[in-house]
Amino acid sequence: MVEKKRRSFKYFLGHRSPTEILICGFALLILCGTCLLMLPISSRSGEGTAFINALFTATSSVCVTGLVVVDTGTYWSVFGQTVMCVLVEIGGLGFMSFATMFFVLAGKRITIKDRILIQSSVNMDSLSGIVKFVKYIFFSSIIIQTVGALLLALVFVPDFGLATGIGYSVFHSVTSFCNAGFDLMGNFKSFTGYADNYLLNIVICSLIVLGGLGFAVTSDLIYVRKFKKMSMHSKVVLISTGFLLVFGFIFFIIFEFNNPKTMGNLSLHGKFLASFFQSVTPRTAGSNTIDIAGLTEPSIFLTILLMFIGASPGSTGGGVKTTTVAVLLMTVGSVLKGKKDVVVFKRTILGPVIRRSLSVLVIAVGLVFFMIFVLLCTEPGAPFDAVVFEVMSAFGTVGLTMGLTPNLSGAGKIAISLTMFIGRLGPLTIAYAISRSEKHSRENVGNIKLPEGNIMIG
Amino acid sequence: MVEKKRRSFKYFLGHRSPTEILICGFALLILCGTCLLMLPISSRSGEGTAFINALFTATSSVCVTGLVVVDTGTYWSVFGQTVMCVLVEIGGLGFMSFATMFFVLAGKRITIKDRILIQSSVNMDSLSGIVKFVKYIFFSSIIIQTVGALLLALVFVPDFGLATGIGYSVFHSVTSFCNAGFDLMGNFKSFTGYADNYLLNIVICSLIVLGGLGFAVTSDLIYVRKFKKMSMHSKVVLISTGFLLVFGFIFFIIFEFNNPKTMGNLSLHGKFLASFFQSVTPRTAGSNTIDIAGLTEPSIFLTILLMFIGASPGSTGGGVKTTTVAVLLMTVGSVLKGKKDVVVFKRTILGPVIRRSLSVLVIAVGLVFFMIFVLLCTEPGAPFDAVVFEVMSAFGTVGLTMGLTPNLSGAGKIAISLTMFIGRLGPLTIAYAISRSEKHSRENVGNIKLPEGNIMIG
Ligand SMILES: [K+]
Ligand SMILES: [K+]
């Protein structure tokens, strides 16, 4: 009986596409997390948590978003917080990388099928060196997060004592590197109390940026070093990330400098730190050192745009992805210049990549519009900007909020959970799974084996 | 001296692209209108009008938008209203069609250069039959608008007396057919007093839809008749227009049925009429029979989306255009199905058309976002939804407003004027003119001479 079940399970796996397995894996992980968070032991009050709130928190953790319906620091017990931390780590590094590590450590052979599955999970561009790459993901993550935790301990141990201080350091190092944006500061206040603390700002920002670049890029930074020799993917990611950081920084300095609700009362260096932090965090990090609801309208609008663009593919973040936007802009540029081909870094970007980018954009816009519409129906009193902000934050798995999340209705919580899930897996991944034609799509349209203009999209 | 000037003017024309001449023509027309509207004779009070308000009104008229900073019915004199009506007619039918008619009537030969210019203005897909087509535009417009005015007189003459009634009938017939959305009812109230008047609703809606389909499509409707034999352009326009009308109608019935601020207090047939009118008007018409600011948030959001999509190319309306959206959706569909080519009605849509559609979308989104951003800066107290609504309305040359227009600051008025101008001429037209490479673009990318999948974009 058990044997038969195992066989039918194997049969099930054998007839699923990598994408379907990936989606099911994430869904299962969320379900496990929900069950654990519903236990009385998970909450500080010792009472069980409602299904919908546990589901929301588990989804937010696995999808490394950071939106919360209950305050992380005061509602959940240490056990509950540990569950969240583990979900973030698994969700952030990709549960498939974890599975691979498990296989490797157990000395098992990795089949081609496994490799394809892993590849699909970490969004790599070739099958060779997958195992090596997953090892790299695992060890580099451990090193970076340990260093981050040690540095954060210099801030948190003096403030909260040894035990709590170390716990806080580990939690915030993990959530920052995985760009999850959860915090234990209590009362939804994130790092607003540390707006002008140099060490904390620098460490948290570094963790966020390193995690947000994606492992393929950090690996290029470490092993290839020279910009010219890097993969085209890394070049586009580095340039677009750098541009968005500098642009956001200048923007926030200008528009928030004298805003008393945000950084108006900070010292000059505090203002610079806060602006930089504010430019880093919409790139899917989701922590904040200034009050989001207090931002000026232009700043809120820019944050919405940055959240929609999101992170780079193959990273811990969501959104339509920097490379998608880059390909679209380059295409428009070539149309305006009257050129037949889209050329970047001396390589042609092929029609299939352009069509794939276009699809990501259209599906993303469609999804986001639909969810905004749903939320306008389920949350009748909510301001329009707060609703748009919330949906963009969930889609980009960013986790910033203008304060709407804790007041969401049940239907609203489900809509936002779904948005986080789709945002994390990528709109195109979900759409492929629904249309059940991934095989053809990969052959004809997939961006993976194209010799020219190889950029990861969506 | 005069001769020399004429020669240099000819030289100037000879070295401009059709697009540049078109843009200059519209700009000149707006400038003339502004001067006329600034005259004391144009206002009811007999005082001169401020440049910025005259500019805004002239732009709104020429670009057939209908947004107003001063109330059309109570502020402007009959002279001023006549100026606006003429600007709407010239702007709506395209000043180039007018110029052609002038040439034809004067018995002059029409050169190839003239034809290209006209073609670019009415967005036709072949050089042959241009003159015939422009004649068709002119005479069909006169017939439709005359019939419309006669029918409207049955409503307005009893209500306002003979002279005023006839004036009102002509004005509203012209502005409705040209999808300009101006009204003389006073106090910015549009047709809210006629929400349950069958005749007015049917006549105005018919004028709006006929004008909004575009002359190429109405010509197909009259001369080709059979759907299967129509051009692909007409097919796509008719299907998308029909779908949007039915969808909008059902949507507004559901979401406004019991809303006391809009149609809650109307009779059942009044509710149906109002819902239908409300579904027709965001397709760039801009009149309204119910209070826009009173709409529920989901209805406002849908209206914003409909306004962004806008009308069909070659018509009197703006926006990204129905065909652009259709091509993009078909492309996404083919990517999801894993197909190599985008096929519709047994014809392949080529890469250049897809890239052109993509460019229209990206440029439009970029422009709209930029203008929203500008307005958030220039109108600090304005609600986010009202600002987004206003920009979308201007870009789609729709003319609906949540009440922001009359309270705009000077800078805001200029920003909205510019948005109307770009929305009317098409984002891609402006972008081509700026990048000064239209010749190459037309050759390589233009959608005009492609044998396969010939759809007008942008
Ligand atoms: K996040
Ligand atoms: K209009």
Side-chain angles (χ1 to χ4, degrees):
Chain A
M1 189 65 198
V2 172
E3 180 61 19
K4 201 180 167 191
K5 265 198 177 163
R6 279 192 59 160
R7 269 178 59 195
S8 66
F9 182 68
K10 267 199 164 177
Y11 178 86
F12 172 82
L13 275 184
H15 286 72
R16 297 301 109 180
S17 68
T19 303
E20 284 170 324
I21 297 178
L22 192 69
I23 294 174
C24 293
F26 265 93
L28 263 178
L29 190 61
I30 290 172
L31 217 64
C32 294
T34 308
C35 294
L36 285 174
L37 288 176
M38 284 175 78
L39 298 175
I41 191 182
S42 291
S43 76
R44 194 152 286 198
S45 68
E47 288 168 28
T49 302
F51 170 74
I52 186 88
N53 289 344
L55 175 73
F56 191 97
T57 308
T59 310
S60 186
S61 302
V62 172
C63 302
V64 292
T65 306
L67 288 173
V68 287
V69 284
V70 293
D71 183 61
T72 315
T74 53
Y75 180 87
W76 301 107
S77 66
V78 172
F79 177 79
Q81 290 165 356
T82 309
V83 169
M84 288 173 65
C85 195
V86 171
L87 292 177
V88 164
E89 189 81 89
I90 303 177
L93 306 189
F95 81 96
M96 281 317 300
S97 329
F98 259 85
T100 317
M101 277 314 295
F102 181 76
F103 275 106
V104 173
L105 294 177
K108 286 204 178 176
R109 238 184 86 251
I110 308 219
T111 63
I112 287 291
K113 188 164 176 63
D114 292 330
R115 280 170 205 265
I116 291 175
L117 191 50
I118 301 157
Q119 180 195 9
S120 156
S121 146
V122 297
N123 213 349
M124 267 286 284
D125 59 351
S126 82
L127 281 177
S128 62
I130 282 283
V131 174
K132 205 177 135 194
F133 185 67
V134 172
K135 273 188 195 164
Y136 164 76
I137 291 182
F138 200 75
F139 290 114
S140 72
S141 303
I142 288 181
I143 293 170
I144 293 174
Q145 292 178 54
T146 308
V147 172
L150 288 176
L151 290 173
L152 286 178
L154 297 177
V155 178
F156 289 133
V157 170
D159 284 8
F160 298 96
L162 192 68
T164 313
I166 289 177
Y168 275 29
S169 303
V170 172
F171 186 91
H172 292 118
S173 180
V174 170
T175 55
S176 297
F177 180 69
C178 295
N179 278 7
F182 292 104
D183 71 275
L184 302 175
M185 297 301 154
N187 301 316
F188 306 102
K189 68 175 183 269
S190 196
F191 298 122
T192 44
Y194 293 92
D196 54 2
N197 183 312
Y198 269 108
L199 184 61
L200 180 128
N201 274 275
I202 291 170
V203 174
I204 298 277
C205 285
S206 305
L207 288 168
I208 290 172
V209 171
L210 283 175
L213 286 174
F215 297 108
V217 177
T218 54
S219 142
D220 261 12
L221 278 176
I222 293 173
Y223 296 115
V224 181
R225 288 199 198 97
K226 282 194 177 168
F227 184 76
K228 276 197 172 175
K229 288 186 179 171
M230 286 182 192
S231 69
M232 176 146 114
H233 171 76
S234 296
K235 285 179 187 167
V236 173
V237 167
L238 286 174
I239 289 176
S240 53
T241 304
F243 172 78
L244 287 175
L245 287 183
V246 172
F247 176 76
F249 173 69
I250 295 170
F251 186 97
F252 288 118
I253 274 281
I254 293 171
F255 280 90
E256 300 299 326
F257 198 84
N258 285 321
N259 183 352
K261 287 182 195 163
T262 56
M263 57 180 80
N265 300 322
L266 293 177
S267 63
L268 189 66
H269 82 259
K271 287 178 183 184
F272 277 89
L273 273 184
S275 296
F276 185 68
F277 198 96
Q278 203 50 37
S279 125
V280 167
T281 194
R283 322 298 324 291
T284 85
S287 322
N288 52 300
T289 59
I290 53 180
D291 179 29
I292 298 297
L295 288 172
T296 60
E297 279 287 346
S299 297
I300 285 178
F301 188 63
L302 180 77
T303 307
I304 288 175
L305 295 189
L306 289 177
M307 294 195 297
F308 183 67
I309 296 174
S312 307
S315 76
T316 50
V320 291
K321 307 285 185 328
T322 48
T323 49
T324 310
V325 175
V327 167
L328 293 176
L329 290 180
M330 289 185 290
T331 307
V332 173
S334 80
V335 168
L336 288 183
K337 279 183 203 146
K339 286 186 183 155
K340 224 171 179 171
D341 291 317
V342 184
V343 179
V344 60
F345 295 127
K346 293 179 189 166
R347 277 159 172 266
T348 304
I349 296 178
L350 292 182
V353 174
I354 294 172
R355 286 207 290 275
R356 198 178 151 98
S357 304
L358 171 62
S359 302
V360 169
L361 181 73
V362 172
I363 294 173
V365 168
L367 170 79
V368 158
F369 281 4
F370 178 74
M371 288 300 176
I372 290 174
F373 174 71
V374 169
L375 245 65
L376 288 175
C377 294
T378 62
E379 325 294 321
F384 186 66
D385 48 356
V387 167
V388 174
F389 198 96
E390 192 80 6
V391 170
M392 291 301 191
S393 179
F395 175 68
T397 68
V398 176
L400 296 174
T401 179
M402 288 174 71
L404 189 61
T405 334
N407 307 317
L408 283 175
S409 66
K413 284 173 190 170
I414 290 174
I416 291 292
S417 297
L418 204 60
T419 312
M420 293 192 282
F421 190 69
I422 300 176
R424 176 71 180 98
L425 285 166
L428 205 52
T429 306
I430 303 283
Y432 272 147
I434 291 170
S435 72
R436 295 181 151 278
S437 60
E438 191 192 19
K439 219 170 102 192
H440 296 281
S441 313
R442 290 252 164 209
E443 273 162 21
N444 295 329
V445 184
N447 61 331
I448 284 173
K449 281 153 212 156
L450 297 170
E452 304 173 81
N454 199 347
I455 303 185
M456 301 181 201
I457 297 297
Chain B
M1 187 66 196
V2 171
E3 181 61 20
K4 201 182 168 190
K5 266 199 178 164
R6 280 191 59 156
R7 268 178 60 195
S8 67
F9 181 68
K10 268 199 166 179
Y11 177 86
F12 172 81
L13 275 183
H15 286 72
R16 297 300 111 182
S17 68
T19 304
E20 283 170 326
I21 296 177
L22 191 68
I23 294 174
C24 292
F26 265 94
L28 261 177
L29 190 60
I30 290 172
L31 217 64
C32 294
T34 307
C35 294
L36 285 173
L37 289 175
M38 283 176 78
L39 298 175
I41 190 181
S42 291
S43 76
R44 193 151 289 197
S45 68
E47 287 169 28
T49 302
F51 169 74
I52 187 87
N53 289 345
L55 175 72
F56 191 97
T57 307
T59 310
S60 186
S61 303
V62 172
C63 301
V64 291
T65 306
L67 287 173
V68 287
V69 284
V70 294
D71 182 62
T72 314
T74 52
Y75 181 88
W76 301 108
S77 66
V78 172
F79 176 79
Q81 290 165 356
T82 309
V83 168
M84 287 173 66
C85 195
V86 172
L87 291 178
V88 163
E89 190 80 90
I90 301 178
L93 306 188
F95 80 98
M96 281 318 299
S97 331
F98 258 84
T100 317
M101 277 314 295
F102 180 78
F103 275 105
V104 173
L105 294 177
K108 286 205 177 175
R109 236 183 88 253
I110 308 221
T111 64
I112 286 289
K113 186 160 178 66
D114 292 330
R115 280 170 203 265
I116 292 175
L117 193 50
I118 300 155
Q119 179 195 10
S120 155
S121 148
V122 298
N123 212 351
M124 269 285 282
D125 60 350
S126 82
L127 281 176
S128 62
I130 282 281
V131 173
K132 206 178 136 193
F133 185 68
V134 172
K135 272 187 194 163
Y136 163 77
I137 290 182
F138 200 75
F139 289 113
S140 71
S141 303
I142 288 180
I143 293 169
I144 294 174
Q145 291 178 57
T146 309
V147 172
L150 288 175
L151 290 172
L152 286 178
L154 297 178
V155 178
F156 290 134
V157 169
D159 284 7
F160 298 95
L162 193 66
T164 313
I166 289 177
Y168 275 28
S169 303
V170 171
F171 186 90
H172 292 118
S173 180
V174 170
T175 56
S176 296
F177 180 70
C178 295
N179 279 7
F182 292 103
D183 70 274
L184 301 176
M185 296 303 153
N187 300 317
F188 304 104
K189 66 174 183 270
S190 196
F191 298 122
T192 45
Y194 293 91
D196 54 2
N197 183 311
Y198 270 108
L199 184 60
L200 180 127
N201 274 274
I202 291 169
V203 173
I204 298 276
C205 283
S206 306
L207 288 169
I208 290 172
V209 171
L210 283 174
L213 286 174
F215 296 108
V217 177
T218 53
S219 142
D220 260 13
L221 277 177
I222 294 172
Y223 297 114
V224 181
R225 288 197 199 97
K226 283 194 178 168
F227 183 77
K228 275 196 173 178
K229 287 186 180 172
M230 286 183 191
S231 69
M232 175 144 114
H233 171 76
S234 296
K235 286 179 187 169
V236 173
V237 168
L238 286 174
I239 289 176
S240 53
T241 304
F243 171 78
L244 288 175
L245 286 184
V246 172
F247 176 75
F249 173 68
I250 295 171
F251 186 96
F252 287 118
I253 275 281
I254 293 172
F255 280 90
E256 300 299 326
F257 198 84
N258 286 320
N259 183 353
K261 287 182 194 164
T262 55
M263 57 180 80
N265 301 322
L266 293 178
S267 63
L268 189 66
H269 81 259
K271 286 178 184 186
F272 277 90
L273 274 184
S275 295
F276 185 68
F277 198 95
Q278 202 51 37
S279 127
V280 167
T281 193
R283 323 297 325 292
T284 83
S287 321
N288 53 299
T289 60
I290 53 181
D291 179 28
I292 297 297
L295 288 172
T296 61
E297 279 287 345
S299 298
I300 285 179
F301 188 61
L302 181 78
T303 308
I304 288 175
L305 294 189
L306 289 176
M307 294 195 299
F308 183 67
I309 296 173
S312 307
S315 76
T316 49
V320 292
K321 306 288 187 319
T322 49
T323 49
T324 310
V325 175
V327 167
L328 292 177
L329 290 181
M330 289 185 291
T331 307
V332 173
S334 80
V335 167
L336 288 183
K337 280 183 201 145
K339 284 185 185 157
K340 225 170 175 171
D341 291 319
V342 185
V343 179
V344 59
F345 294 127
K346 293 181 189 166
R347 277 160 172 263
T348 303
I349 296 178
L350 292 183
V353 175
I354 295 172
R355 286 207 290 276
R356 198 178 150 98
S357 304
L358 171 62
S359 302
V360 170
L361 180 73
V362 172
I363 294 173
V365 168
L367 169 79
V368 158
F369 280 2
F370 178 75
M371 288 303 178
I372 289 174
F373 174 72
V374 169
L375 245 65
L376 287 175
C377 294
T378 61
E379 324 295 321
F384 186 65
D385 48 356
V387 167
V388 174
F389 198 96
E390 191 81 8
V391 171
M392 291 300 191
S393 179
F395 174 68
T397 68
V398 176
L400 297 174
T401 179
M402 288 174 71
L404 189 61
T405 333
N407 306 315
L408 283 176
S409 66
K413 285 173 189 169
I414 290 174
I416 290 293
S417 298
L418 203 60
T419 312
M420 295 191 282
F421 189 69
I422 299 176
R424 177 71 180 99
L425 286 166
L428 205 52
T429 308
I430 303 283
Y432 272 146
I434 291 170
S435 72
R436 297 181 151 280
S437 60
E438 189 190 23
K439 218 169 101 190
H440 295 280
S441 313
R442 291 254 163 209
E443 274 162 20
N444 295 327
V445 186
N447 61 332
I448 285 173
K449 281 153 211 156
L450 297 170
E452 305 173 79
N454 199 346
I455 303 186
M456 301 182 202
I457 298 295

